[in-house]
Amino acid sequence: MAHFEIKDLGFEYPTSMGKPTLEGINLTIERGEYVTFCGRSGSGKTTLLRHLKSVLAPHGKLSGEILFSGKPLEDASLREQSFKIGYVMQNPDNQIVTDKVWHELAFGLESLGYDQKTIRLRVAEMASYFGIQGWFYKDVAELSGGQKQLLNLASIMAMQPEVLILDEPTSQLDPIAAADFLNTVKKINRELRTTIIITEHRLEDIFYASDKVVVLEEGRIIAADNPRKVGEFLKDEKHFMFAAMPTPVQVYYGVPNEEICPLTVREGGEWLDKIFVEKEVKVSAVDEANAFCEEDIAQPAVELKEVWFRYEKNAPDILKGVSLKVPKAELFAVVGGNGTGKSTMLKSICGICRGYRGKVWINGKRLEKYKAAELFYENLAMLPQDPQSLFVKKTVKEDLQEMLARKEQDRAEEITKVAEICEITHLLERHPYDLSGGEQQRVALAKVLLTKPKILLLDEPTKGIDNFFKLKFAEILDKLKKQGITIIMVSHDVEFCAKYADTVSMFFDGGIITTNTPHKFFSKNSFYTTAANRMSRHIFENAITNEDVIYLCQKNL
Amino acid sequence: MRLDSYHPTIQFIYFVAAIAATICFNHPVFLVLSYLAVFLYSIKLNGVRQLVVNICLFPLVFVYAGYYAFYHHFGITALWSNFIDNSITLEAFIYGITIGIRIAAVFMWCSCIFTIVSTDKIIYLFGRISPKLSLFLSIILRSVPRIGIRAKKIALAREGIGKGCRKGNIFLRVWHLFGMISILVTWTLEDFLESAASMKSRGYSLKGRSAFSIYRFDYRDRGVVITMFACLTVLFMAILLDQTKIYYDPVIVIHRITPMSVVFYLVYGVFLLLPMGLQSVGEWRFNRINGKKYGYFEVYMVK
């Protein structure tokens, strides 16, 4: 008997005016299966997932039927659904209800009304299984994002669910925490036979582990099969979702060959070995720009010279002598782990954090010499990590107008122009909070651009954005660069930086360790580098993007 | 070894009884006992810094007494007259001292409470009354600091586009502050929707919620509770026998000290010093078991 059986499911939001969000969904999920849903933002993934748990199902017109363990889902009581179906959401912070780790673990069990003894045992079990003992007594506020999401997972697992539904659980996490989290999910699936239903942007970490990949487009299932078949299908259809496939799959289909499709970096490396067996590699490197040389920059847009910063007098130093020169009209990326001080560096560039030692020059002029109004108008602007922190008004349009001083309301055409650049013209009448993460990001960017900055500072701009939005975002950044805007971004997103940045810096322990062009930078690293590079480094010298690997393979075969 | 290793109910009983007794018993012997006990206990708990605080508090008792006597003129033993010819009386002055001592003692009790009682114990105690109420408190304790953090984030983000409330003229600042608050409200509400979904999905709305706690009531706790209640019973007798009171108006009227009252004093002292005694004995035993290899400092750290 199938665990979940979805029969001809259709759904329409009251506000969608005849356009269904889900249509003709037929799907069977067996017990213990690992099912990945993918599709671009707004394809109906979240809506579908929410329908699998009655309390979370959105209001609207529903047709068709969902069977849970052979019975209609609505027949399962609230109690039964509460503990049998676990649901992990996107934002780690918002899901945590109580203030202590141990209390959060017990929350669901308290709801079910279990007694002290049972709860104590279950909580102990969970803390041990997830390795939470070390922070069992902590305040949740002290945890990192990854720990928070793990806590959410553990507090749901404490109820011993049969099914675990995860809606983009790692979109707010850094890559290392995300990989940890997804490994734990996989472990749960393998060891406990819990059925996993998951949606993710970062397919790299889950694609290979899935038993079934379901591709959604505009509320319809266009493919539901094992990962290799889905990859093949998307390639044959020349479907845009192909861009979201993991690197090995994309590279495999870029090179004509007869082997089996690799899914992981290891398989990708083995696959490359196979196709290059007894073949000579004639061209082993792509052409690349000259190495980055700091001395060559005559007029840097931003220059930092040994900036030291700490938040309080007795606190440890966050920035420990950061020196940096950013050339004009370039995309300058700073990568590095969590909590190394990258964001603080951005803040010190725009004067929000003033270093107690060292100097900052903006366009050749000392930061201190600027007046506040000068600094943030037609000069510097920072896009914060959470776009929500900028939205004030009811519609996107009003929000953009807020940026113009009152007497400048006639600068309406400016808004139109910026909206066009950021491709948000069709969203102008919507409420900012109704937009998807990627759309919010672009609205926030538009808002920031209305200050007409010459230097744009971006803090983790690709966090929680799917691959199409990333593509679009890269295009926007390119347009801005052409207008002469200098862009400095700090990011975890190695793949994005490798593909689009002009210069990449590694930030560690409060300082910049090294700066170079993406090719030079990533081909020298062996861990902190792109999947394409890790997969091909034993054959090619400096292939860092999928395109590089495909290009070199084609050259040599 | 410290009182916070005992069950929260015990901490609750101890502090409520001790503070209530400190406030209500105005008999000088009882007062001095309360004062000395809390003086010592707070130093035992908080170390040398507390000693400095306690010593600084002491002169304030007399300052307060002086202030009190200056404005209250009951009693018959006039000492001298102030500049508007109101007499400063001995009774009022002494009464002022007792109030001053009580205030100082309560202040020191509070410093002990801050060290011993953490928020989750308060939540636990509420949970005994109503699981929903304790959950509610816990949610508040989580959301209030979060709102603060979010406000900081917003302030930063707004500053990054030149709309911060630290720069510009006063009107602009106020205007920007309003913008910030508006964002804060919308964002908080929006996030709360997600929290609500997470609560619902974990069966929050089910009937029959229980309250889990990490505390256990063991034999040691039972022994301490029995001792405490025995002491409190004796003290209750003292109240009934009017042994804890003293009258100041118009003359100081005080009970004769009988052998019985010495017993009451002893019991009161035992009650107040019980946690400190238990802690000291625990530390001494720990030291003995582990030989001399642990110095005082490590023991202090282990607690």
Side-chain angles (χ1 to χ4, degrees), chain B residues 126-175:
Chain B
F126 274 108
R128 308 302 298 170
I129 306 167
S130 150
K132 283 239 157 127
L133 183 66
S134 83
L135 178 66
F136 182 67
L137 274 178
S138 177
I139 292 172
I140 288 181
L141 279 176
R142 161 129 180 85
S143 16
V144 171
R146 270 189 78 204
I147 291 173
I149 291 169
R150 202 173 290 140
K152 258 188 212 151
K153 262 191 196 169
I154 296 170
L156 258 175
R158 301 287 287 177
E159 223 169 291
I161 55 169
K163 285 191 176 293
C165 46
R166 288 201 304 192
K167 302 230 170 81
N169 64 40
I170 184 85
F171 290 109
L172 220 53
R173 282 184 197 209
V174 171
W175 185 246

Side-chain angles (χ1 to χ4, degrees), chain A residues 21-45:
Chain A
T21 309
L22 295 175
E23 214 179 347
I25 304 278
N26 281 300
L27 189 68
T28 314
I29 297 169
E30 298 297 333
R31 180 178 280 265
E33 249 186 337
Y34 191 123
V35 183
T36 303
F37 280 82
C38 54
R40 62 202 293 176
S41 302
S43 59
K45 293 182 307 238

Side-chain angles (χ1 to χ4, degrees), chain A residues 10-147:
Chain A
F11 179 74
E12 203 178 293
Y13 280 102
T15 49
S16 65
M17 288 176 293
K19 194 175 160 291
T21 309
L22 295 175
E23 214 179 347
I25 304 278
N26 281 300
L27 189 68
T28 314
I29 297 169
E30 298 297 333
R31 180 178 280 265
E33 249 186 337
Y34 191 123
V35 183
T36 303
F37 280 82
C38 54
R40 62 202 293 176
S41 302
S43 59
K45 293 182 307 238
T46 301
T47 313
L48 177 57
L49 254 50
R50 283 188 165 238
H51 275 297
L52 299 181
K53 182 151 180 158
S54 301
V55 271
L56 297 178
H59 295 287
K61 215 167 78 190
L62 184 73
S63 60
E65 198 179 18
I66 301 173
L67 297 180
F68 177 58
S69 304
K71 283 186 295 187
L73 183 65
E74 49 288 9
D75 286 359
S77 67
L78 177 62
R79 175 170 292 269
E80 199 182 339
Q81 284 197 30
S82 292
F83 73 85
K84 282 194 176 160
I85 306 172
Y87 199 104
V88 181
M89 287 173 265
Q90 250 188 51
N91 191 316
D93 246 323
N94 293 346
Q95 291 173 74
I96 297 178
V97 177
T98 62
D99 63 329
K100 290 279 193 263
V101 170
W102 60 266
H103 200 178
E104 190 64 24
L105 281 175
F107 179 81
L109 303 168
E110 284 181 343
S111 303
L112 296 172
Y114 288 151
D115 57 22
Q116 286 280 332
K117 228 173 138 190
T118 321
I119 298 184
R120 181 163 285 140
L121 174 63
R122 291 270 191 95
V123 164
E125 242 190 329
M126 276 309 113
S128 313
Y129 188 81
F130 286 94
I132 298 182
Q133 304 99 315
W135 25 288
F136 189 63
Y137 285 102
K138 272 196 184 170
D139 261 4
V140 281
E142 293 168 42
L143 306 182
S144 71
Q147 287 176 323

